[in-house]
Amino acid sequence: MEERYDPQKIELKWQRYWAEEGIYKTELNLLKRKFYCLEMFPYPSGEIHMGHVRNYAIGDVIARYKRMRGYNVLHPMGWDAFGLPAENAAIKHGVHPSEWTHKNIENMKIQLNRIGLSYDWEKEVTTCSPEYYKWNQWFFLKMLKKDLAYRKYSYVNWCPSCATVLANEQVIDEKCWRCESIVIQKKLEQWFFRITQYAEELLQSCDELSGWPERVVLMQKNWIGKGEGVEVDFPVEGIDEQLKIFTTRPDTLFGVTFMCIAPEHPLSEKLVEDTHKLEAVKVRYGKEEEKIGLFTGYYAINPLNGDKVPVYIANFVLMEYGTGAIMSVPAHDQRDFEFAEKYDLPVKVVIVPEEVIMNRGHGESGTRGDKDVHSPPFHPFSVSPFLQNGAYEGEGILVDSGQFTTLESDIARERIIRFIEKKGFGKAVVHYKLRDWGVSRQRYWGTPIPVIYCDKCGIVPVPEEDLPVILPMDVRVTGKGGSPLLESETFLNTECPKCGGRARRETDTMDTFVDSSWYFIAYCFGKGNINFKSAISNQQSAISYWMPVDQYIGGVEHAVLHLLYSRFFTRVIRDLGLINVSEPFQNLLTQGMVIKDGAKMSKSKGNVVDPNYLIEKYGADTSRLFSLFAAPPEKDLEWSDKGVEGANRFLNRLWGVVYKNREALSVNRETTEESIHLTPPASRLYRKTHQTIKKVTRDIEREYHFNTAIAGLMELLNEMTSFEPKSDEDWVTFKFSTEKILLLLSPFSPHIAEELWEAIGNKPSIFEQKWPDWDEEAAKEERIELVVQINGKLRSKIMISPGISDDEIKEIALSDQKIKEIVGTKAIKKVIVVRGKLVNIVVGE
RNA sequence: GCCGGAGUGGCGGAAUUGGCAGACGCAAGGGACUUAAAAUCCCUCGUUCCAAAAGAGCGUACCGGUUCGAGUCCGGUCUCCGGCACCA
């Protein structure tokens, strides 16, 4: 053992040892409790950043801890290897995306290993390998068969700069999520996954996600966006058409004064002759704050009261939600109100807040029952002052609503829906904000969609046995125009599997979110062994053993996209009979960002800390320790160079203590649990050690509060350094503490723990040791300090033995010199004793 | 606008179920060692009053409430962060 702590030397040494011994290799063992610990796999950009270090350090602590706890732990790593940056690199540097990607993977793998992460690399997956994306294609074919994959013309988000289609989730503030160009709408034929078929189930089972952060569950719910309401047909006067609208407020149906339809609505072109004017509304669709309308000249009839109301085309009505047409109730909807003001349309009040009705004071009682009976018909203008600040969108009592007048809005809603269904005007329906998932990308570096176009047979799926459809390597990636695949003759031209005639392959590739929607299942098979076909016949398979993921760890930025898609895919795979779980991730930990100078670390801001530099200077153990100590995992972590030094100082001190006492510590002493004849200092250290085992274990178990766990270790070391062993028994205690602190530290800073474990005469590896247990008795304080308060203010402190009764405590507190002085002659009203905490004496003035 | 989350020393952050506010670390100040510096070790460290000590007062964004007792619970206000956003 060397005097100086040299992380470079010991870290490389142990990394080699762990790899050679294969101590992180995991095998399926049906007799052992399993724990699947997973961190979100990285995009192989080539360099790791502090966010990676933090994410993987958190996962590594959990994996190592669970392993020491006796679980069979699956802790894999892989590469989300398809995607745009590889193509950008190809355009910029002329390297093939494949070459670029694989080089980056090599490089990042070295860096990840340098952090000392306990991965089983035999489970590694790489999504750009044919053996992986073959299964993307396989799932696609299965989904095609079940009508879960389909093709449709639709307006898609088009990024002019990336020359590609984006998913709704990839559009942020009308800008491309990658390059921030303004996204435009373009009509293209695209492949979609019917995620909406699972909307209700995905929403319902949100309630089962008890191991997820609440806010993430909420974001999922909001994204799915369930809206319960009713569809009503309004006949259009003069033509044989019904205008179908959707509303969640049927209680306002009697207040309809006009109708609005989306510019893309099929009726729009029929009703409007002047196509120029229609275009003008279309151009301003969905973008502008200002509401723009175009009167069609037609009127619709409200089936409930026969009112004749004008039909407008309006830029704020969305074709994608509901029916693309709305009824407008300006009195009770702010948008309709603004529109009515602008185009001078009537406002009809049909709901009045209860207070307004009460204030009108009819009768002396004013009870609800009376009101229902006596309520005179309201004149709209007499109540309109309450509309001064815009529409009244709240609940209330219905007025001017025919037979439903005087009902409360929630009751009215139910009755009106029933009435509409009975009369055949419409029906109760549910709509979701969630849209089907567009998966087509006009990109090269992705999974080819396994479909062939034949002039005779139309769209023909590639037969299963022909998979994978290999992505050709002999292409030029220029970044201009369409997909490079269009230029690959050998790829493009093929035979129709049905008729054998000449046919053309689909050149679109899949969204990379498809790759990451099931990679956690792929890990179960092991590298090179992905095979869902055998999974069908074998229920005792690796997937049914390992799934679901017990702990998933990653950034909040994936709270909707990746997590929702994964939940969807897992259900699709379940419904194919290949897996028996519905929720892929039992517990989710969303770690915070790494912040420096008040902003997220990013190259563009120039506030990055390079982990490689950090590891070179302080070592992996220090880097890990700091990133775990500076903040709890779910919070943002403010970077501090000085803080890193603090973490380093702690490890140095630990090293120093062990070095100084190395000889005495290596003597093989019996570490007995019985603390016979311990001197007071030894007894204190012994107690502190048990307390620390308890604290660290609980902090890890309870929400993974590593920061306080590490603080506990620092306290224990402080106690150890102030203890000077003199007798043989002292040494037993000291060795006991040393061993425990190393075991407790090992998940956080594995290399130094391993090195010192060996240095005090133990056999490696420390990770084959059991996690220590604490003895509740030994952790108890001999004498407890109690706080004595008078009227809630701290006045004195007393020492008591743990076992004594409340009355005895009371007596001791009252006989305390200071307390006696302060209480004096004042009357004692009450004395409250809180066990182990305090005594509060309530005195009068 | 709607829905979440958070406001604690100079800083990062502690504080099971309401019970000593500020653990642990960083920074700062003082001291020891050293020719000197670094490193290391020891001491101080929320704030006000007092020359100092003893002691006392104030203090967890702000205002009010419940309670013997509130950082923690309730009502209201302000600020910051995140998500969604013409969703009918």
Side-chain angles (χ1 to χ4, degrees):
Chain A
M1 185 186 185
E2 289 178 31
E3 185 175 355
R4 204 177 64 87
Y5 168 44
D6 180 358
Q8 302 307 325
K9 210 164 170 181
I10 66 158
E11 289 179 358
L12 290 171
K13 168 183 153 192
W14 289 111
Q15 281 159 17
R16 211 171 299 130
Y17 176 85
W18 295 330
E20 277 164 12
E21 297 290 315
I23 73 160
Y24 307 126
K25 245 181 80 177
T26 307
E27 265 158 27
L28 194 148
N29 181 349
L30 294 171
L31 300 173
K32 235 175 145 188
R33 289 181 304 176
K34 66 97 182 180
F35 191 90
Y36 187 175
C37 178
L38 181 66
E39 300 111 57
M40 290 180 182
F41 67 168
Y43 178 81
S45 59
E47 297 292 332
I48 59 164
H49 51 70
M50 284 316 301
H52 289 129
V53 174
R54 189 175 190 207
N55 189 182
Y56 304 147
I58 292 167
D60 200 48
V61 172
I62 297 170
R64 287 179 188 274
Y65 170 75
K66 290 290 180 183
R67 194 173 279 124
M68 290 172 88
R69 274 261 128 136
Y71 287 89
N72 191 23
V73 174
L74 176 59
H75 189 216
M77 183 39 73
W79 313 97
D80 189 12
F82 271 138
L84 280 182
E87 286 187 47
N88 294 340
I91 296 160
K92 210 168 162 191
H93 307 296
V95 270
H96 194 278
S98 169
E99 191 192 327
W100 185 82
T101 304
H102 283 102
K103 236 186 208 156
N104 286 348
I105 289 174
E106 281 304 297
N107 197 18
M108 282 179 84
K109 200 167 173 178
I110 292 167
Q111 294 177 53
L112 288 186
N113 279 326
R114 187 61 193 81
I115 305 173
L117 303 166
S118 60
Y119 295 129
D120 177 3
W121 284 106
E122 289 181 20
K123 303 287 192 296
E124 181 182 8
V125 299
T126 307
T127 59
C128 68
S129 69
E131 88 105 3
Y132 186 91
Y133 68 69
K134 168 186 174 179
W135 297 98
N136 276 345
Q137 296 171 339
W138 193 72
F139 288 132
F140 185 94
L141 294 177
K142 295 285 182 200
M143 288 164 82
L144 197 61
K145 217 179 215 165
K146 297 184 85 172
D147 196 36
L148 284 169
Y150 67 98
R151 201 166 149 78
K152 73 170 177 189
Y153 269 107
S154 81
Y155 283 90
V156 292
N157 305 302
W158 177 262
C159 171
S161 163
C162 302
T164 194
V165 169
L166 300 171
N168 286 328
E169 292 87 336
Q170 292 169 336
V171 181
I172 296 152
D173 290 335
E174 290 168 29
K175 286 181 191 137
C176 172
W177 71 315
R178 274 242 156 82
C179 70
E180 299 200 354
S181 320
I182 296 281
V183 172
I184 59 168
Q185 301 295 308
K186 194 171 175 176
K187 202 169 189 177
L188 278 179
E189 205 170 10
Q190 301 283 303
W191 287 100
F192 283 83
F193 284 161
R194 215 181 288 280
I195 190 171
T196 51
Q197 190 163 314
Y198 287 84
E200 187 59 33
E201 195 198 330
L202 288 168
L203 182 71
Q204 288 295 321
S205 35
C206 274
D207 296 332
E208 290 161 32
L209 300 173
S210 56
W212 287 34
E214 239 173 287
R215 63 186 183 125
V216 175
V217 177
L218 217 80
M219 280 160 79
Q220 294 253 323
K221 281 184 181 171
N222 289 341
W223 193 266
I224 296 166
K226 186 176 182 175
E228 284 175 274
V230 59
E231 277 180 3
V232 187
D233 293 315
F234 282 57
V236 181
E237 212 181 43
I239 53 167
D240 189 22
E241 290 277 1
Q242 302 274 331
L243 188 51
K244 192 187 282 298
I245 61 97
F246 171 69
T247 180
T248 53
R249 290 294 301 272
D251 50 326
T252 65
L253 258 161
F254 285 82
V256 175
T257 55
F258 58 99
M259 316 281 286
C260 288
I261 62 177
E264 296 82 15
H265 194 282
L267 266 182
S268 286
E269 296 198 11
K270 217 164 172 178
L271 300 184
V272 179
E273 282 162 24
D274 192 336
T275 49
H276 286 290
K277 280 187 182 162
L278 183 60
E279 267 317 301
V281 182
K282 249 185 206 177
V283 165
R284 309 179 81 167
Y285 169 74
K287 267 182 220 155
E288 298 193 17
E289 276 290 309
E290 202 193 339
K291 287 162 186 53
I292 299 181
L294 173 65
F295 180 44
T296 58
Y298 285 87
Y299 291 85
I301 308 297
N302 186 340
L304 272 87
N305 58 6
D307 278 1
K308 196 171 131 182
V309 293
V311 178
Y312 279 76
I313 288 159
N315 69 331
F316 69 90
V317 180
L318 303 171
M319 193 57 222
E320 303 91 56
Y321 185 75
T323 60
I326 60 166
M327 63 178 207
S328 290
V329 186
H332 306 295
D333 182 286
Q334 188 56 27
R335 278 162 316 164
D336 296 346
F337 187 86
E338 285 166 26
F339 194 88
E341 264 190 332
K342 184 169 174 183
Y343 292 99
D344 203 22
L345 292 157
V347 177
K348 186 186 171 194
V349 172
V350 289
I351 292 182
V352 179
E354 216 157 330
E355 311 89 74
V356 173
I357 296 208
M358 302 302 251
N359 290 344
R360 286 168 59 87
H362 39 109
E364 15 324 291
S365 70
T367 63
R368 194 166 295 173
D370 284 357
K371 185 181 64 209
D372 280 355
V373 179
H374 301 298
S375 204
F378 271 87
H379 191 273
F381 296 107
S382 65
V383 288
S384 60
F386 82 89
L387 291 183
Q388 262 170 6
N389 303 320
Y392 174 70
E393 296 184 324
E395 307 269 294
I397 308 294
L398 268 69
V399 296
D400 259 352
S401 299
Q403 57 182 294
F404 304 100
T405 303
T406 74
L407 290 179
E408 288 175 45
S409 24
D410 52 341
I411 295 165
R413 272 199 286 278
E414 283 169 36
R415 297 244 186 118
I416 291 175
I417 290 173
R418 240 186 292 150
F419 180 76
I420 286 169
E421 288 192 323
K422 206 172 112 197
K423 291 277 183 180
F425 297 150
K427 59 175 196 296
V429 285
V430 173
H431 281 289
Y432 300 90
K433 290 180 192 171
L434 182 71
R435 317 272 161 76
D436 278 340
W437 174 14
V439 293
S440 295
R441 294 291 181 276
Q442 289 65 50
R443 282 283 150 191
Y444 164 68
W445 195 232
T447 304
I449 292 174
V451 157
I452 290 166
Y453 298 101
C454 170
D455 287 339
K456 264 191 258 163
C457 314
I459 299 169
V460 185
V462 172
E464 241 181 66
E465 53 277 16
D466 291 353
L467 296 183
V469 176
I470 299 277
L471 185 69
M473 288 295 131
D474 57 336
V475 293
R476 273 179 44 244
V477 183
T478 59
K480 285 183 196 129
S483 167
L485 293 177
L486 284 164
E487 290 169 25
S488 173
E489 299 288 321
T490 49
F491 176 82
L492 195 62
N493 300 318
T494 186
E495 280 177 11
C496 170
K498 247 188 199 162
C499 69
R502 282 182 53 181
R504 202 172 54 80
R505 279 189 198 281
E506 169 68 85
T507 56
D508 282 358
T509 54
M510 292 183 209
D511 181 4
T512 54
F513 275 101
V514 176
D515 309 341
S516 55
S517 294
W518 60 276
Y519 77 107
F520 41 90
I521 303 175
Y523 282 134
C524 302
F525 292 104
K527 195 172 179 175
N529 289 319
I530 304 173
N531 191 345
F532 282 92
K533 283 181 200 163
S534 69
I536 308 170
S537 56
N538 182 7
Q539 282 305 307
Q540 292 300 300
S541 66
I543 24 178
S544 59
Y545 175 67
W546 290 115
M547 285 298 290
V549 173
D550 294 275
Q551 183 64 58
Y552 198 28
I553 308 130
V556 236
E557 64 272 22
H558 294 110
V560 260
L561 3 141
H562 163 59
L563 291 172
L564 190 64
Y565 293 152
S566 296
R567 296 180 64 217
F568 164 62
F569 243 84
T570 302
R571 284 170 169 81
V572 171
I573 294 171
R574 175 200 66 193
D575 292 345
L576 288 169
L578 306 179
I579 191 171
N580 47 19
V581 295
S582 303
E583 286 299 339
F585 313 120
Q586 193 99 77
N587 295 289
L588 174 70
L589 175 66
T590 49
Q591 104 262 10
M593 293 183 299
V594 182
I595 303 282
K596 197 179 180 236
D597 310 320
K600 184 184 177 173
M601 279 189 185
S602 76
K603 270 186 196 155
S604 58
K605 289 197 185 82
N607 60 347
V608 286
V609 173
D610 177 16
N612 298 310
Y613 162 80
L614 206 72
I615 288 165
E616 222 169 90
K617 191 166 174 193
Y618 298 103
D621 282 340
T622 294
S623 309
R624 294 168 57 124
L625 195 70
F626 173 72
S627 69
L628 296 162
F629 174 62
E634 71 278 4
K635 280 187 79 168
D636 285 349
L637 182 150
E638 173 75 37
W639 191 259
S640 153
D641 292 333
K642 290 289 183 185
V644 180
E645 281 178 33
N648 191 241
R649 212 151 21 218
F650 167 70
L651 295 181
N652 262 310
R653 287 211 299 139
L654 176 67
W655 182 277
V657 170
V658 174
Y659 179 79
K660 192 176 118 197
N661 302 301
R662 63 197 179 282
E663 273 161 35
L665 282 169
S666 335
V667 175
N668 197 14
R669 284 173 227 270
E670 223 175 287
T671 52
T672 161
E673 293 288 318
E674 257 92 285
S675 49
I676 9 124
H677 298 318
L678 288 188
T679 59
S683 148
R684 204 163 53 229
L685 178 61
Y686 184 70
R687 193 182 315 123
K688 183 72 181 177
T689 307
H690 278 285
Q691 288 171 345
T692 306
I693 297 170
K694 180 176 177 178
K695 178 177 172 52
V696 173
T697 307
R698 286 192 160 190
D699 285 350
I700 294 176
E701 291 285 348
R702 180 174 60 96
E703 307 288 325
Y704 301 127
H705 280 178
F706 304 134
N707 54 332
T708 51
I710 293 166
L713 293 175
M714 289 172 168
E715 281 185 56
L716 177 57
L717 181 64
N718 289 345
E719 200 78 39
M720 283 170 69
T721 50
S722 61
F723 178 71
E724 276 174 47
K726 293 186 188 87
S727 66
D728 214 47
E729 270 164 0
D730 281 353
W731 278 111
V732 171
T733 307
F734 193 72
K735 178 155 183 172
F736 175 79
S737 295
T738 308
E739 289 192 342
K740 299 308 173 203
I741 199 173
L742 293 177
L743 288 165
L744 297 176
L745 176 69
S746 67
F748 305 100
S749 292
H751 312 85
I752 190 173
E754 187 82 277
E755 175 74 18
L756 296 179
W757 181 254
E758 190 189 42
I760 59 171
N762 293 309
K763 258 177 64 190
S765 162
I766 192 171
F767 297 103
E768 272 147 20
Q769 294 293 314
K770 263 186 67 196
W771 187 256
D773 289 317
W774 73 90
D775 176 352
E776 198 62 53
E777 277 307 306
K780 265 201 189 123
E781 293 289 347
E782 275 172 10
R783 289 179 67 75
I784 302 170
E785 192 188 53
L786 278 196
V787 166
V788 185
Q789 297 179 335
I790 292 176
N791 289 345
K793 288 212 163 123
L794 171 64
R795 291 303 177 209
S796 185
K797 288 178 180 182
I798 54 171
M799 296 300 292
I800 57 146
S801 309
I804 67 169
S805 73
D806 285 7
D807 283 340
E808 284 172 286
I809 292 171
K810 231 183 250 185
E811 210 168 297
I812 295 168
L814 287 170
S815 58
D816 182 77
Q817 193 54 40
K818 268 188 190 160
I819 296 301
K820 268 163 115 178
E821 278 170 29
I822 298 168
V823 173
T825 57
K826 287 174 202 150
I828 294 169
K829 285 186 179 166
K830 206 200 263 184
V831 180
I832 294 147
V833 178
V834 183
R835 305 237 81 190
K837 296 266 161 96
L838 55 72
V839 182
N840 189 16
I841 301 161
V842 187
V843 298
E845 290 310 305

